[in-house]
């Protein structure tokens, strides 16, 4: 029996050994990935190690199954279920907590683990909104009729021995009622469940101890059940969000390599809450022991110091970059001008010496001929050619041709050595001529300055065969042409102050297309109140002549030139306007029509030369070369007397520049550089002194000599200025014509009416005083000033309006009947009620805006035959101009950056990056601050130069090129400003998200709010636009972050850009919270309505909003152009 028992024991031992070998071999793969448990000095039993690996394999299978089921509810907060659950429950690096539990419960440890159904019931509590996770739904083990000790927090029970362990069963909760005991350390046992769940990584789950003073189990703060004296404190009881289960999280300043180990953070390292390892601090940062965040204030101070220094340098030296380049260009230009003047002087000296030598040689030859020849009259004309045979003058047109074999031909051939035999003074002309010949033969250096091939045409091209690329060559070419023009003017002795009459009839000078504008019965009436601004104006303005439009205030002078230029908006026009005798739209010739507004609309942050050059580049023909454009600009600068201020800024209200008179001349020069065929000016001499006015008229006279049709409104010109006008249009109040004809015959016409200008009185001043009714004319005919328009109509046999017939009948009987279309009963108008007047005003305002929009979208056939630069070329020109303007505004940009830098430092120091909300509050402050500061700064892009845009767009420049250039330059701020802000905010708050993620979100936010600022700048005045910039970020952020009880408010919040930016910020930060933070992440995202997969969508929405807002801004800028 004993031997039999021994044999059975040996067989059993052998079978057990075989089973253990099989188990060890089956889990060998998992064991090689794990640390040697005996290495930690805690568990040395191989059987326990093998069982631990078996249990861990079972738990791994359970968590993988559970992750797939839970992900159906938590898809919004879990990007990769396998990766997130692996970060939370991958204990392969250290299984100490599991080994100690296996050592305690042996083979029954797996019977105490929660099945998939129990874990599912626990985790579904967070997604079903059933309240606190401390109170689970009743189940078969824990309910009102059955409440086992294992149902208490921190305790668990085991399955019955006859029950099969199926942890992957997710449908039915198994019955647990045996061996209820405290939960193992490293596990947590919720209240209402009789099983254990492993604590996630980043948690610290030791066994609880009883605090006898409070009667709670610390550190979890749950109480023992009353009346059960044998019940002790168990393990952890709850894993939820950080607010509900803070005691379970590994505390800040410590790290937990396992769920049962907690170590203090060493010096030079920092450990955030829920860390599994310590992180080394950056250099120059201070990290004391047990610190949660690295102190990066040193980086902040260094960045503030470096950035402030850089901004101060930019603030103080911003103008030096452009000024240095301007000085180099000025030196090059001055050298070219000096070289041109010196060359011209040398040419003049050479010509004078040549003429003197010719005269002296001719006299000497005549003297010798009279001495040795008796028939000097029969000498051949070629015998007078002594020095320069190529340039000698002959009388072949005056004398008949003589054969060369005459006896006198041989006589004359004996005298060539005559100049060589002469001494003293006779040698000087020969030496001077030799030097001049050497200069003339050096064509390579002096070819551009050859005066004898000079022309005065504005569109002449460069010398062929020679490439002009550098600034020096271009300036030399331009100044050479200017010197040639001056030399040709000096040759004309009849050159007067008002122009050269001989050049006015020269067909070679008139190169521009001629435009003659004639108008018949031109009447302009306001649509709002049917008020006549202009009535029955008939006449024409001719090319090559300067027409002055004069009259008292309210006579319709500006309305008249606006009607001719096609700019009368909100008015009803009748009559006919013909272009060169054809019924064509004036807009068809827009490219060759210049309109100078009454206000000096000039870019104040550009120099005089830069303003003129830009207009020349964009409005002159694209076929014109750059040297020719520079020549035109130089010609205008010289003709307007702007040489001394060409490199000076025009100036703004804040920064003084050139004088008012010089600014007025620049305003005119902007239209002169585009070489118009029709130039219309609205009071160009207002505010100018007599000398400046005469200088301006001289420049306009030069334009008229080239065939330009000039029409200008003037107020009280001097007598000298009045004599420079060719034609005069004199208007009376109500827009009626008093006189239209030659300015020199105006006094003669008024004298025929008995209105004589007194002596020592300026005629135009006297005419205006008469029309104002301030002066009673000394006339015996008894003509009243109100009857002067009728006199003009009768004088020219024009139809008389019906309301003026009574005056016409008294003066004379009209020879021409009144057109029935012009009959208007003005006296029979009924008086409107208040409602009628209000409706008429509203209707008139609507019609005005409708006409303005229609005018902006007007497309006319181009008849100007001028191909101006296209959109891409103009975009390049605009880009260069805007870049230069921004460089001059570098001080303002530096202030913007400094304010943004301080905002980032202040918010980063004051705000705390809350782990519970993933920094949501700090990001809300960031969105408001960045939106407000960037919007206000972006307003300057379009709100400060609306008038300049109106003028440029009305002249035919591309609105799209203008808008794109502005936006392109603003992209620099869009890229730099997030860097400036984050350089402070990020290093002060030190969030878990990367710098790149925060930068991308902030970049998209700045792009979005910049587009919104464009809309505000274009649709509102600067004051209201700034107010909207302050209100919108605050209002939108409140709507986006407040709790939405209404579906409508929720939809509205989804359209607010702060919601997209905040969601992107929070998602980027929440994604770095894993392990023990998993439930906190899901809870916070679910509460906010955010989705972890929507980061890319939020970025795209911000960019799309910025793009759409730019489209709306451009459409508004193009549609609602405001003067």
């Amino acid at each position: 029996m004993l031997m039999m028992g021994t044999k059975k024991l040996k067989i059993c031992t052998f079978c057990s050994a075989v089973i253990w070998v099989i188990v060890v071999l089956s889990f060998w793969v998992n064991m090689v990935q794990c640390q040697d448990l005996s290495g930690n000095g805690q568990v040395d039993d191989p059987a326990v190690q093998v069982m631990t690996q078996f249990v861990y394999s079972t738990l791994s299978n359970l968590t993988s199954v559970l992750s797939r089921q839970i992900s159906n509810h938590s898809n919004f907060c879990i990007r990769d279920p396998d990766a997130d659950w692996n970060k939370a429950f991958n204990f392969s690096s250290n299984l100490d907590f599991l080994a100690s539990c296996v050592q305690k419960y042996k083979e029954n440890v797996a019977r105490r683990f929660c099945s998939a159904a129990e874990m599912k019931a626990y985790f579904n509590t967070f997604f079903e909104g059933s309240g606190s996770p401390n109170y689970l739904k009743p189940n078969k083990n824990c309910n009102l009729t059955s409440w086992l000790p294992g149902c208490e927090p921190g305790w668990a029970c085991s399955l019955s021995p006859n029950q099969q362990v199926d942890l992957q069963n997710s449908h039915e909760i198994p019955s647990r009622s045996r061996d209820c005991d405290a939960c193992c350390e490293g596990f947590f046992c919720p209240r209402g469940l009789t099983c254990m769940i492993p604590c996630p990584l980043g948690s610290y789950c030791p066994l609880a101890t009883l605090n006898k003073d409070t009667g709670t189990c610390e550190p979890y703060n749950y109480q023992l059940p009353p009346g059960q004296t044998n019940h002790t404190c168990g393990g952890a009881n709850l894993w939820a969000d950080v607010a509900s289960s803070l005691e379970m999280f590994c505390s800040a300043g410590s790290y937990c390599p396992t769920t049962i180990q907690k170590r203090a953070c060493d010096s030079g390292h920092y450990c955030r809450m829920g860390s599994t390892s310590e992180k080394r601090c950056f250099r120059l940062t201070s990290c004391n022991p047990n610190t949660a965040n690295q102190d990066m204030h040193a980086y902040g101070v260094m960045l503030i110091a470096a950035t402030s220094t850089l901004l101060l340098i930019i603030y103080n030296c911003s103008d030096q970059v452009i000024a240095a380049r301007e000085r180099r260009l000025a030196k090059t230009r001055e050298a070219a001008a000096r070289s041109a003047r010196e060359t011209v002087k040398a040419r003049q000296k050479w010509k004078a010496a040549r003429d003197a030598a010719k005269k002296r040689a001719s006299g000497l030859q005549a003297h010798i001929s009279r001495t040795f020849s008796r028939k000097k009259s029969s000498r051949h004309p070629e015998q007078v050619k002594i020095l320069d045979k190529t340039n000698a003058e002959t009388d072949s047109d005056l004398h008949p041709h003589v054969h060369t074999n005459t006896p006198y031909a041989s006589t004359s051939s004996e005298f060539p050595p005559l100049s060589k035999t002469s001494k003293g003074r006779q040698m000087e002309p020969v030496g001077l001529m030799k030097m001049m010949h050497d200069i003339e033969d050096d064509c390579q250096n002096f070819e551009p300055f050859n005066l004898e091939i000079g022309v005065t045409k504005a569109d002449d091209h460069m010398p062929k065969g020679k490439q002009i690329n550098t600034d020096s060559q271009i300036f030399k070419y331009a100044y050479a042409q200017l010197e040639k023009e001056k030399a040709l003017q000096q040759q004309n002795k009849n050159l007067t102050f008002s122009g050269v009459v001989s050049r006015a009839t020269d067909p070679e000078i008139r190169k521009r297309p001629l435009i003659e504008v004639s108008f018949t019965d031109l009447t302009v009436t306001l649509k709002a109140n049917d008020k006549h601004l202009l009535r029955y104006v008939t006449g024409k303005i001719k090319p090559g002549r300067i027409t002055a439009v004069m009259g008292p205030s309210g006579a319709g002078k500006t309305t008249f030139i606006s009607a001719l230029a096609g700019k009368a908006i909100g008015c009803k026009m009748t009559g006919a306007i013909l272009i060169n005798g054809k019924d064509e739209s004036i807009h068809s010739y827009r490219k060759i029509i210049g309109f100078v507004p009454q206000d000096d609309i000039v870019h104040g942050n550009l120099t005089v030369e830069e303003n003129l050059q830009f207009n020349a580049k964009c409005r002159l023909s694209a076929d014109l070369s750059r040297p020719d454009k520079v020549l035109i600009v130089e010609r205008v600068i010289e003709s307007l007397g702007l040489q001394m201020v060409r490199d000076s800024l025009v100036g703004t209200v804040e920064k003084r520049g050139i004088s008012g008179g010089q600014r007025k001349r620049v305003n005119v020069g902007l239209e002169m550089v585009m070489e118009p065929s029709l130039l219309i000016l609205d009071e160009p001499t207002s505010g100018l002194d007599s000398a400046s006015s005469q200088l301006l008229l001289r420049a306009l006279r030069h334009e008229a000599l080239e065939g330009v049709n000039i029409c200008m409104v003037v107020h009280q010109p001097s007598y000298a200025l009045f004599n420079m006008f060719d034609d005069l249009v004199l208007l009376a109040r109500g827009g009626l014509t008093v006189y239209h004809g030659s300015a020199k015959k105006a006094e003669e016409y008024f004298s025929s009416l008995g209105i004589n200008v007194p002596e020592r009185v300026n005629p135009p001043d006297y005419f205006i005083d008469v029309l104002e009714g301030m002066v009673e004319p000394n006339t015996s005919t008894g003509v009243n000033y109100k009857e002067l328009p009728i006199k003009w109509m009768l004088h020219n046999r024009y139809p008389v309006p019906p309301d003026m017939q009574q005056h016409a009948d008294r003066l004379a009987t009209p020879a021409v009947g009144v057109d029935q279309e012009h009959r208007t009963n003005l006296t029979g108008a009924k008086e409107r009620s208040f409602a009628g007047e209000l409706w008429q005003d509203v209707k008139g305002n609507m019609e005005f805006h409708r006409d303005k929009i229609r005018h902006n979208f007007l497309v006319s056939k181009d008849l100007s035959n001028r191909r101006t630069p296209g959109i891409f070329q103009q975009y390049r020109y605009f880009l260069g101009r805007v870049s230069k303007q921004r460089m001059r505004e570098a001080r303002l940009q530096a202030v913007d950056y400094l304010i943004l830098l301080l905002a980032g430092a202040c918010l980063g120091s004051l705000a705390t990056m809350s782990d519970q909300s993933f920094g949501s509050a700090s990001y809300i402050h960031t969105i408001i601050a960045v939106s407000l500061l960037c919007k206000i700064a972006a307003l300057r892009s379009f709100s400060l130069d609306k008038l300049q845009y109106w003028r440029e767009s009305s002249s035919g420049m591309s609105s799209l090129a203008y808008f794109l250039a502005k936006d392109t330059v603003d992209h620099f701020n869009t890229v730099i400003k997030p860097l400036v802000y984050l350089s402070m905010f990020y290093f002060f708050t030190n969030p878990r998200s990367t710098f790149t993620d925060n930068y991308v979100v902030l970049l998209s936010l700045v792009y979005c709010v910049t587009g919104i600022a464009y809309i505000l700048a274009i649709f509102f005045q600067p004051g209201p636009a700034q107010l909207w910039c302050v209100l919108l970020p605050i209002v939108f952020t409140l709507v986006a972050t407040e709790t939405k009880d209404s579906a409508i408010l929720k939809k509205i919040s989804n359209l607010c850009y702060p919601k997209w930016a905040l969601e992107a910020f929070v998602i980027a930060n929440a994604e770095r919270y894993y392990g023990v933070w998993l439930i906190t992440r899901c809870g916070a995202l679910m509460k906010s309505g955010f989705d972890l997969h929507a980061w890319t969508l939020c970025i795209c929405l911000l960019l799309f909003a910025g793009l759409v807002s730019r489209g709306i801004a451009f459409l508004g800028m193009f549609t609602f152009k405001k003067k």
Side-chain angles (χ1 to χ4, degrees):
M1 293 290 293
L2 182 59
M3 293 179 63
M4 293 291 294
T6 304
K7 291 181 180 180
K8 291 181 179 180
L9 180 59
K10 290 180 179 180
I11 293 172
C12 292
T13 303
F14 177 76
C15 292
S16 300
V18 171
I19 293 173
W20 279 109
V21 169
I22 294 173
V23 171
V24 170
L25 292 176
S26 62
F27 295 103
W28 176 256
V29 177
N30 287 331
M31 287 185 66
V32 297
Q33 299 176 352
C34 305
Q35 294 181 355
D36 188 5
L37 297 178
S38 60
N40 294 331
Q42 296 180 3
V43 179
D44 297 329
D45 190 354
V48 174
Q49 296 180 16
V50 174
M51 182 58 69
T52 300
Q53 293 295 333
F54 173 73
V55 173
Y56 174 66
S57 177
T58 304
L59 286 176
S60 298
N61 295 333
L62 173 62
T63 55
S64 62
V65 172
L66 185 64
S67 68
R68 289 191 294 269
Q69 296 181 357
I70 298 298
S71 63
N72 296 330
H73 298 280
S74 59
N75 185 48
F76 66 93
C77 63
I78 297 178
R79 185 184 299 274
D80 186 354
D82 295 334
D84 283 327
W85 282 90
N86 188 47
K87 291 178 181 179
F89 298 105
N90 185 7
F91 308 105
S92 59
S93 60
N94 195 322
L95 297 177
D96 289 350
F97 78 99
L98 191 58
S100 61
C101 191
V102 169
Q103 192 174 14
K104 179 179 179 181
Y105 292 109
K106 305 299 180 185
E107 67 278 358
N108 292 327
V109 64
R111 296 179 176 274
R112 308 180 73 85
F113 293 159
C114 288
S115 65
E118 292 169 307
M119 295 180 69
K120 183 179 178 181
Y122 175 75
F123 287 108
N124 282 342
T125 307
F126 301 103
F127 305 107
E128 294 177 357
S130 58
S132 173
N134 286 307
Y135 302 96
L136 303 179
K137 291 182 178 181
N139 53 70
K140 64 172 60 178
N141 297 319
C142 303
N143 49 59
L144 294 177
T145 59
S146 174
W147 191 263
L148 301 174
C151 295
E152 294 295 332
W155 274 55
C157 300
S158 176
L159 295 174
S160 301
N162 56 355
Q163 285 182 288
Q164 185 178 2
V165 179
D166 186 10
L167 298 182
Q168 298 185 9
N169 185 1
S170 60
H171 302 288
E172 184 180 0
I173 297 178
S175 176
R176 300 177 187 273
S177 58
R178 295 176 59 85
D179 301 332
C180 295
D181 199 357
C183 198
C184 292
E185 60 178 350
F187 291 83
F188 71 97
C189 300
R191 185 178 185 274
L193 287 179
T194 58
C195 57
M196 299 189 305
I197 302 176
C199 293
L201 293 175
S203 62
Y204 180 57
C205 301
L207 293 176
T209 57
L210 179 63
N211 188 335
K212 296 182 180 180
D213 296 333
T214 60
T216 58
C217 296
E218 294 183 349
Y220 308 111
N221 297 327
Y222 60 83
Q223 295 181 343
L224 297 178
Q228 298 183 16
T229 57
N230 59 345
H231 196 90
T232 61
C233 291
N237 67 317
L238 180 64
W239 175 39
D241 61 288
V242 65
S244 303
S245 58
L246 179 63
E247 302 82 7
M248 187 176 176
F249 284 70
C250 189
S251 61
S254 304
Y255 68 99
C256 301
T258 65
T259 56
I260 60 174
Q261 293 179 354
K262 183 178 181 180
R263 299 176 183 175
C265 210
D266 298 332
S267 178
H269 299 77
Y270 70 99
C271 302
R272 301 179 188 269
M273 181 183 293
S275 299
T276 58
S277 61
E278 56 183 1
K279 294 184 178 180
R280 183 176 298 276
C281 296
F282 296 152
R283 293 184 179 180
L284 302 178
T285 58
S286 59
C287 290
N288 298 323
N290 302 328
T291 184
N293 286 303
Q294 52 184 341
D295 187 1
M296 304 183 69
H297 289 76
Y299 277 103
V301 172
M302 292 173 59
L303 284 172
I304 288 178
T307 310
S308 300
T309 304
L310 180 62
L311 293 178
L312 288 175
I313 293 174
I314 295 174
Y315 182 85
N316 292 304
C317 305
S318 58
D319 295 337
Q320 301 302 321
V321 178
I322 301 178
R325 186 175 184 274
E326 289 178 351
R327 284 195 298 269
R328 293 184 61 185
L329 286 177
K331 291 180 180 179
T332 304
R333 184 173 56 247
E334 291 173 1
R338 186 169 54 252
S339 176
R341 288 192 295 268
E342 291 175 354
T343 305
V344 170
K345 289 180 181 179
R347 291 286 182 179
Q348 291 175 351
K349 290 181 180 179
W350 173 77
K351 281 191 175 183
R354 185 188 65 179
D355 294 340
K358 281 183 179 181
K359 184 177 181 181
R360 188 168 183 177
S362 299
L364 183 60
Q365 184 180 14
H367 176 70
I368 296 173
S369 298
R370 284 194 301 269
T371 304
F372 296 97
S373 177
R374 297 178 180 180
K375 298 180 180 180
K376 60 180 181 179
S377 61
S378 63
R379 291 174 53 189
H380 197 279
E382 292 182 357
Q383 292 177 354
V384 299
K385 301 180 182 179
I386 298 177
L387 298 177
D388 190 3
K389 296 184 179 181
T390 58
N391 296 318
E393 298 177 357
T394 64
D395 296 331
S396 58
D397 295 334
L398 301 177
H399 301 278
H401 178 69
V402 181
H403 203 271
T404 56
N405 56 3
T406 59
Y408 303 100
S410 61
T411 306
S412 62
S413 63
E414 297 177 0
F415 294 101
L418 182 63
S419 60
K420 295 182 181 180
T421 60
S422 302
K423 297 181 181 181
R425 295 184 179 179
Q426 295 178 353
M427 293 297 295
E428 292 179 1
V430 179
L432 182 61
M433 291 305 300
K434 185 177 183 302
M435 182 182 66
M436 291 298 114
H437 278 300
D438 293 337
I439 296 177
E440 189 178 43
D441 294 336
D442 191 4
C443 300
Q444 185 175 0
N445 295 330
F446 296 94
E447 182 181 359
F449 308 101
N450 187 3
L451 294 176
E452 296 187 0
I453 60 171
V455 291
T456 60
K457 301 172 186 177
D459 55 349
D460 288 296
H461 299 287
M462 301 175 295
K464 296 183 178 179
K466 220 178 168 185
Q467 295 296 330
I468 299 179
N469 297 320
T470 64
D471 293 332
S472 177
Q473 293 174 341
I474 292 174
F475 285 130
K476 283 184 178 180
Y477 168 73
Y479 281 104
Q481 296 295 326
L482 292 177
E483 293 297 333
K484 284 189 279 185
E485 294 177 6
K486 291 180 182 178
L488 290 177
Q489 290 177 357
Q490 291 297 328
Q491 291 177 4
N492 192 344
K493 300 301 181 180
N494 296 325
L495 182 63
T496 61
F497 179 76
S498 61
V500 183
V501 179
S502 61
R503 292 185 61 198
T505 58
D506 187 359
E508 292 297 327
I509 297 178
R510 295 187 177 183
K511 295 290 294 185
R512 306 184 191 180
L514 302 181
I515 294 182
E516 181 185 83
V517 182
S518 59
F519 37 91
T520 305
D521 293 337
L522 182 60
T523 302
V524 180
T525 308
L526 278 177
K527 293 183 179 180
N529 52 12
D530 293 333
K531 178 182 178 181
H532 290 289
L533 302 179
L534 210 64
R535 301 185 67 187
Y536 311 114
V537 179
T538 301
K540 66 173 61 175
I541 54 177
K542 303 175 183 179
R545 300 178 68 85
I546 300 178
T547 302
V549 181
M550 298 175 57
S553 298
K557 301 181 295 296
T558 302
T559 303
F560 172 69
I561 62 173
S562 298
L564 295 184
K567 298 178 181 294
I569 302 175
C571 302
K572 182 174 64 175
M573 292 178 55
T574 59
I577 299 178
L578 304 179
I579 310 298
N580 293 332
K582 299 179 182 179
D583 187 10
E584 295 172 343
S585 174
I586 192 69
H587 298 286
S588 300
Y589 299 89
R590 183 172 61 175
K591 292 182 179 180
I592 55 175
I593 294 177
F595 185 88
V596 180
Q598 183 176 353
D599 299 324
D600 300 332
I601 304 175
V602 188
H603 289 279
N605 49 9
L606 293 177
T607 64
V608 172
E609 184 178 7
E610 289 167 353
N611 274 286
L612 299 178
Q613 281 183 349
F614 178 79
N615 265 40
K617 289 178 181 178
C618 292
R619 300 179 65 183
L620 285 173
S621 175
D623 301 326
L624 206 61
S625 62
R626 182 189 170 195
D628 290 322
K629 292 181 180 179
V630 173
L631 170 61
I632 294 171
V633 173
E634 294 295 331
R635 182 183 295 139
V636 172
I637 290 176
E638 186 169 352
S639 64
L640 292 175
L642 299 172
Q643 299 94 329
M644 301 301 296
V645 295
R646 63 183 304 156
D647 295 324
S648 302
L649 292 177
V650 174
T652 58
V653 178
E654 296 84 5
K655 188 174 183 180
R656 179 171 175 80
I658 59 179
S659 65
Q662 293 166 343
R663 187 185 181 97
K664 178 71 70 174
R665 280 178 274 164
V666 174
N667 187 35
V668 177
L670 292 179
E671 303 300 325
M672 291 176 59
V673 293
M674 52 85 63
E675 293 198 327
S677 295
L678 172 61
L679 183 59
I680 301 175
L681 305 95
D682 191 1
E683 300 185 18
T685 58
S686 298
L688 297 181
D689 55 12
S690 178
S692 298
S693 299
Q694 291 181 14
L695 183 63
L696 177 60
L697 261 295
R698 179 188 295 176
L700 294 177
R701 169 59 60 188
H702 179 77
E703 294 290 307
L705 291 177
E706 296 185 3
V708 181
N709 190 345
I710 300 176
C711 179
M712 56 188 299
V713 175
V714 290
H715 270 297
Q716 295 181 335
S718 63
Y719 184 73
L721 210 64
F722 181 74
N723 287 332
M724 298 177 68
F725 299 137
D726 297 315
D727 297 322
L728 174 65
V729 176
L730 195 59
L731 299 176
R733 289 185 181 275
L736 293 167
T737 307
V738 174
Y739 176 79
H740 179 25
S742 175
K744 295 179 176 57
K745 296 181 179 180
E747 292 187 55
E748 180 182 349
Y749 169 73
F750 283 102
S751 297
S752 65
L753 300 179
I755 302 176
N756 298 313
V757 180
E759 295 183 359
R760 297 184 180 181
V761 175
N762 189 15
D765 291 343
Y766 185 75
F767 295 154
I768 293 176
D769 291 341
V770 170
L771 294 177
E772 287 275 10
M774 299 174 59
V775 176
E776 290 292 336
N778 297 326
T779 175
S780 59
T781 58
V783 178
N784 190 5
Y785 72 94
K786 295 182 181 180
E787 299 171 348
L788 291 177
I790 303 176
K791 277 290 186 180
W792 176 254
M793 294 179 186
L794 298 177
H795 176 75
N796 293 278
R797 303 174 63 84
Y798 293 155
V800 179
D803 57 313
M804 304 176 69
Q805 275 292 341
Q806 55 181 352
H807 299 286
D809 294 338
R810 186 175 65 86
L811 295 175
T813 303
V816 181
V818 181
D819 193 353
Q820 295 297 325
E821 294 181 359
H822 297 150
R823 294 184 177 272
T824 306
N825 188 5
L826 300 178
T827 59
K830 297 181 179 179
E831 185 177 356
R832 298 189 183 96
S833 62
F834 174 77
E837 291 182 359
L838 181 62
W839 168 246
Q840 188 68 22
D841 292 340
V842 173
K843 181 180 178 182
N845 191 27
M846 293 176 61
E847 290 180 350
F848 173 77
H849 288 288
R850 183 192 63 187
D851 292 346
K852 185 167 64 174
I853 295 174
R854 184 183 302 170
H855 178 268
N856 294 336
F857 283 94
L858 180 64
V859 178
S860 301
K861 183 180 178 181
D862 186 17
L863 301 176
S864 59
N865 296 324
R866 176 181 289 186
R867 188 180 66 87
T868 55
I871 293 179
F872 294 104
Q873 190 69 15
Q874 289 191 37
Y875 167 74
R876 202 183 79 178
Y877 296 149
F878 274 110
L879 192 63
R881 187 187 73 177
V882 176
S883 301
K884 189 173 293 184
Q885 289 174 320
R886 293 299 169 84
M887 288 184 67
R888 290 201 171 97
E889 296 173 355
R891 294 186 176 184
L892 197 58
Q893 298 289 334
V895 173
D896 290 341
Y897 292 153
L898 186 60
I899 294 175
L900 204 60
L901 192 75
L902 295 177
C906 293
L907 291 179
S909 301
L910 300 177
T912 56
M913 192 62 63
S914 173
D915 291 325
Q916 184 176 354
S917 61
F918 307 116
S920 178
S922 300
Y923 288 133
I924 289 175
H925 299 154
T926 293
I927 292 171
I928 295 176
V930 173
S931 298
L932 192 149
L933 295 176
C934 292
K935 278 184 180 179
I936 293 178
L939 288 178
R940 295 193 296 265
S941 296
F942 291 96
S943 62
L944 299 181
D945 54 358
K946 289 183 179 179
L947 294 179
Q948 287 84 347
Y949 164 72
W950 166 80
R951 179 174 183 177
E952 292 171 353
S953 62
S954 62
S955 65
M957 294 189 193
S958 173
S959 298
L960 181 60
Y962 168 82
F963 185 88
L964 291 179
K966 287 271 190 178
D967 188 39
T968 302
V969 175
D970 279 343
H971 286 344
F972 176 79
N973 289 330
T974 304
V975 173
I976 297 300
K977 285 186 175 181
L979 286 175
V980 173
Y981 180 83
L982 284 178
S983 63
M984 294 291 101
F985 178 81
Y986 184 83
F987 291 107
F988 274 92
T989 57
N990 197 14
R992 299 199 181 191
S993 55
T994 63
F995 185 90
T996 304
D997 291 339
N998 285 268
Y999 175 74
V1000 171
V1001 177
L1002 209 57
L1003 177 72
S1004 305
L1005 175 64
V1006 174
Y1007 182 79
C1008 176
V1009 299
T1010 302
I1012 297 175
Y1014 290 168
I1015 297 178
L1016 299 177
I1018 290 172
F1019 284 89
F1020 297 97
Q1021 295 298 323
Q1026 292 179 1
L1027 181 62
W1028 279 109
C1029 285
V1030 175
L1031 291 178
L1032 285 181
I1034 299 175
V1035 174
F1036 283 168
T1037 305
L1038 290 176
V1039 173
T1041 55
E1042 291 298 320
T1043 305
K1044 293 86 179 173
D1045 298 330
S1046 172
I1048 298 177
L1049 289 178
K1050 187 174 182 179
K1051 291 181 179 179
I1052 294 175
S1053 66
N1054 290 332
L1055 299 177
C1056 297
Y1057 73 88
K1059 191 259 183 184
W1060 309 328
L1062 179 62
E1063 184 172 0
F1065 274 126
V1066 172
I1067 289 173
N1069 202 25
E1071 196 172 4
R1072 269 65 183 180
Y1073 286 80
Y1074 45 81
V1076 70
W1077 293 98
L1078 195 59
I1079 294 179
T1080 305
R1081 181 213 291 177
C1082 292
L1085 294 180
M1086 182 174 62
K1087 181 179 179 181
S1088 302
F1090 296 160
D1091 191 344
L1092 201 64
H1093 301 82
W1095 188 85
T1096 304
L1097 177 62
C1098 292
I1099 299 299
C1100 293
L1101 287 175
L1102 288 172
L1103 296 177
F1104 180 73
L1107 189 63
V1108 171
S1109 59
R1110 281 165 171 78
I1112 296 174
F1114 172 73
L1115 186 63
M1117 183 188 71
F1118 183 78
T1119 304
F1120 304 103
K1121 297 177 184 177
K1122 296 181 180 180
K1123 180 178 179 180

